[in-house]
């Protein structure tokens, strides 16, 4: 199957804040992001096509929230997935506005993180023998990690 994405998702525990239309503020961890958008687990649902102002804490400025605007592409109730052990809505956003000073950093950060993941994958493959001859060869290695969900209301 041909890869259609122009940029690859990277998994990093960055913080995202948003205000739900009900007026409550939520702070959550990202599932993954790329220069075009992001995914996160939300305690509340959104409608597809809804515009959403969001705040991100980027590693370049960990003490400051960066303002972005995005549109909701998907908000699925994950409790309906087989074997779900957490509740919430897996939400995909596409950036519609990225601050000029953050755009190049976000692109470089995603490239750097992707290369870091590829290097880690090679280490797993070579030294730990995760990808052996009898196993399926993948473009990436899936490492089981505990899912951490944090959010706060104010």
């Amino acid at each position: 199957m041909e890869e259609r994405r122009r940029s690859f998702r990277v998994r990093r525990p960055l913080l995202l804040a948003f205000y739900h239309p009900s007026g409550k503020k939520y702070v959550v961890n990202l599932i993954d992001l790329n220069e075009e958008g992001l995914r996160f687990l939300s305690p509340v649902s959104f409608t597809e096509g809804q515009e959403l102002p969001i705040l991100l804490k980027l590693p370049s400025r960990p003490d400051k929230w960066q303002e972005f605007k995005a549109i909701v592409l998907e908000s699925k109730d994950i409790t309906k997935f087989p074997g779900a052990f957490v509740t919430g809505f897996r939400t995909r956003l596409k950036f519609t506005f990225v601050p000029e000073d953050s755009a190049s950093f976000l692109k470089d950060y995603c490239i750097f993180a992707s290369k870091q993941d590829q290097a880690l994958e090679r280490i797993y493959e070579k030294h730990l023998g995760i990808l052996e001859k009898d196993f399926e060869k993948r473009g990436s290695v899936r490492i089981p990690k505990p899912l951490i969900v944090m959010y706060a209301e104010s």
Side-chain angles (χ1 to χ4, degrees):
M1 180 160 55
E2 184 180 324
E3 180 64 47
R4 294 182 303 177
R5 287 190 203 111
R6 286 181 273 161
S7 58
F8 294 96
R9 295 183 197 150
V10 293
R11 291 178 175 253
R12 294 295 182 267
L14 302 178
L15 290 178
L16 165 78
F18 64 90
Y19 287 91
H20 191 263
S22 66
K24 291 184 181 178
K25 180 182 180 182
Y26 295 92
V27 179
V28 298
N29 282 347
L30 295 184
I31 294 174
D32 56 34
L33 85 151
N34 64 25
E35 61 188 276
E36 297 173 1
L38 54 86
R39 288 190 312 161
F40 65 99
L41 187 61
S42 171
V44 291
S45 68
F46 297 96
T47 56
E48 289 183 24
Q50 178 180 347
E51 290 197 26
L52 187 65
I54 58 174
L55 301 168
L56 276 176
K57 281 212 175 182
L58 298 175
S60 61
R61 297 178 197 92
D63 57 336
K64 183 179 176 192
W65 288 101
Q66 299 290 312
E67 294 182 37
F68 292 76
K69 289 184 183 172
I71 191 166
V72 177
L73 298 178
E74 173 183 73
S75 188
K76 287 187 178 178
D77 185 357
I78 61 168
T79 57
K80 296 180 180 173
F81 293 176
F85 59 93
V86 294
T87 61
F89 300 85
R90 187 183 68 199
T91 305
R92 280 190 319 131
L93 302 179
K94 180 179 180 178
F95 295 127
T96 56
F97 169 77
V98 178
E100 193 174 312
D101 61 337
S102 298
S104 63
F105 173 79
L106 190 60
K107 181 178 180 179
D108 293 343
Y109 179 72
C110 289
I111 290 169
F112 169 76
S114 178
K115 287 181 181 179
Q116 212 176 26
D117 290 348
Q118 290 170 1
L120 186 59
E121 179 181 309
R122 284 192 298 275
I123 290 169
Y124 283 138
E125 183 177 340
K126 184 176 180 181
H127 297 292
L128 302 179
I130 288 179
L131 295 179
E132 303 213 354
K133 292 178 183 173
D134 297 339
F135 291 99
E136 174 186 355
K137 294 282 186 176
R138 294 181 179 228
S140 61
V141 175
R142 294 183 183 176
I143 307 298
K145 294 181 181 178
L147 177 64
I148 300 171
V149 180
M150 299 188 319
Y151 69 92
E153 298 179 21
S154 50

